[in-house]
């Protein structure tokens, strides 16, 4: 879609192509980010750009530990945190640490497609748990797909592509089933929570942390979306402080950071985000985009669940074949992504982290194609 977008824009002009296919944050980082950046550049401390411990700067890890202790009510210290190159880097070091070749990862549809490639990087294999009509995982099917090779379940809430936020009952239910399966198979099964959209959440929806649902829990996250720093590759892993093997896990993560070639997360970004744990981009702007799009699409007649977080919407395709529908939208200069790519055929993903011109002008294309098929 990225390539298609470039091609189409070069043919008919960028302002006539409504590209809602990418999850690239459009809002600038908060003003405090620029102030800090300026001060670090103008008065650099000695050694600012050197290597540091592979787990990251101690003061950065302490600031994060303090912030997530406050959020979760648990007692994190810097020893529970490893700084990473984004959430993608975080997931890769977790998978490298925990998986043996041939081990399996359960992913919950609709899922972020990169999980399959990350698993493959480390000799693992993904199996898919399907969802219900509200994009909640069918937990009663979990037992059928877990076996003696299952090592982890990846949870992504707020979800890309559906925007769903899992309630506590789902996370607790998942934790309970996994605990039983750990006893059945005599091995640890981890819940890995991939949560780069944790702070992009609407309408007073509660964010439920995964740590209270299971002790084998690890968070992978980043500031790609909440601080608008996707290109700067800064994120972290947080291991449940109550996990009895956490020291060994942290050693594995730190070593994997090194040997996968990340070595450490970018130094300057670590310094900056130390002071930005209470900041976010303006979430209200994403909310305004969500509301505008949802109201317009439902008025046209699309069946679409109002997202509670992230910046994606996942309407039902009015025809069975989502790829055909997405191609029809493209012929009308609207670019979105088929749900098949997220393990959910029959839907398509719209990214609403777009400028107002794109947001307002895409509606005519959505309306025309809907009418053509009615
Ligand atoms: C669900 C999900 N996980 C992980 C990532 C990777 O994030 P990062 O850019 O921090 O590596 C993304 C990026 O879009 C995502 O949507």
């Amino acid at each position: 879609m990225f390539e298609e977008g470039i091609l189409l824009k070069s043919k008919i002009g960028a302002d006539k192509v409504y590209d809602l296919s990418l999850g690239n944050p459009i809002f600038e980082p908060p003003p405090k980010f620029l102030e800090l950046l300026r001060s670090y550049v103008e008065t650099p401390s000695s050694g600012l750009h050197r290597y540091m411990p592979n787990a990251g700067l101690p003061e950065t890890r302490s600031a994060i530990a303090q912030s997530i202790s406050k959020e979760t009510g648990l007692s994190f210290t810097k020893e529970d945190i490893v700084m990473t190159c984004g959430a993608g880097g975080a997931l890769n070091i977790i998978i490298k640490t925990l998986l043996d070749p041939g081990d399996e990862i359960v992913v919950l549809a609709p899922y972020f497609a990169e999980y399959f490639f990350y698993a493959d990087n480390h000799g693992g294999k993904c199996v898919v748990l399907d969802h219900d009509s509200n994009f909640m995982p069918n937990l009663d099917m979990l037992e059928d797909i877990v076996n003696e090779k299952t090592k982890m379940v990846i949870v992504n809430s707020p979800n890309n592509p559906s925007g769903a936020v899992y309630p506590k009952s789902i996370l607790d239910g998942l934790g309970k089933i996994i605990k039983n399966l750990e006893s059945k198979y005599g091995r640890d099964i981890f819940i890995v929570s991939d949560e780069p959209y944790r702070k992009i959440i609407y309408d007073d929806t509660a964010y439920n942390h995964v740590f209270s649902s299971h002790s084998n829990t690890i968070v992978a996250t980043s500031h790609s979306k909440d601080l608008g720093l996707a290109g700067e590759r800064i994120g972290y892993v947080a291991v449940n402080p109550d996990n009895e093997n956490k020291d060994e896990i942290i050693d594995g993560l730190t070593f994997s950071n090194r040997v996968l070639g990340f070595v450490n997360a970018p130094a300057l970004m670590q310094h900056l985000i130390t002071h930005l744990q209470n900041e976010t981009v303006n979430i209200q702007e994403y909310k305004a985009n969500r509301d505008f799009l949802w109201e317009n699409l439902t008025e046209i007649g699309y069946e679409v669940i109002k997202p509670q977080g992230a910046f994606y919407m996942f309407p039902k395709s009015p025809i069975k074949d989502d790829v055909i529908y997405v191609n029809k939208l493209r012929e009308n200069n609207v670019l979105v992504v088929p749900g098949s790519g997220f393990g959910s055929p029959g839907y398509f993903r719209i990214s609403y982290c777009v400028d107002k011109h794109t947001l307002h002008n895409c509606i005519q294309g959505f309306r025309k194609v809907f009418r053509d098929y009615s």
Side-chain angles (χ1 to χ4, degrees), residues 29-30 32-33 36-37 40 57 59-65 67 81-84 199 221-224 226-229 232-236 265-279:
K32 193 170 169 192
F33 172 82
L36 284 162
L37 181 60
Y40 272 96
L57 293 169
E59 63 269 32
T60 309
R61 288 153 57 217
S62 290
I64 288 169
S67 167
I81 310 294
V82 176
M83 300 309 299
T84 64
K199 295 183 181 170
T221 190
S222 72
H223 293 300
S224 295
D226 60 21
L227 290 174
L229 296 176
E232 303 293 354
R233 313 308 305 135
I234 185 71
Y236 64 87
L268 185 55
M269 287 302 128
Q270 291 194 52
H271 281 286
L272 297 180
I273 61 107
T274 304
H275 311 284
L276 294 170
Q277 290 306 302
N278 296 324
E279 300 282 328

Side-chain angles (χ1 to χ4, degrees), residues 65-91:
Q66 203 181 358
S67 167
I68 58 169
S69 296
K70 207 165 139 200
E71 269 186 57
T72 59
L74 296 172
S75 300
F76 286 88
T77 71
K78 69 176 187 329
E79 311 305 334
D80 306 317
I81 310 294
V82 176
M83 300 309 299
T84 64
C85 294
L91 288 164

Side-chain angles (χ1 to χ4, degrees), residues 12 39 89 129 140 171 175 203 221 230 242 273 279 311 342 344 365:
I12 65 168
S39 86
L129 182 67
D140 45 354
L171 296 175
D203 308 328
T221 190
D242 296 334
I273 61 107
E279 300 282 328
F311 39 55
F342 303 93
S344 298

Side-chain angles (χ1 to χ4, degrees), residues 86-88 112 115 156 160 194 196-197 222 224-225 233:
F112 178 57
Y115 296 150
N156 169 225
N160 174 8
D194 175 26
Y197 304 96
S222 72
S224 295
K225 319 289 171 161
R233 313 308 305 135

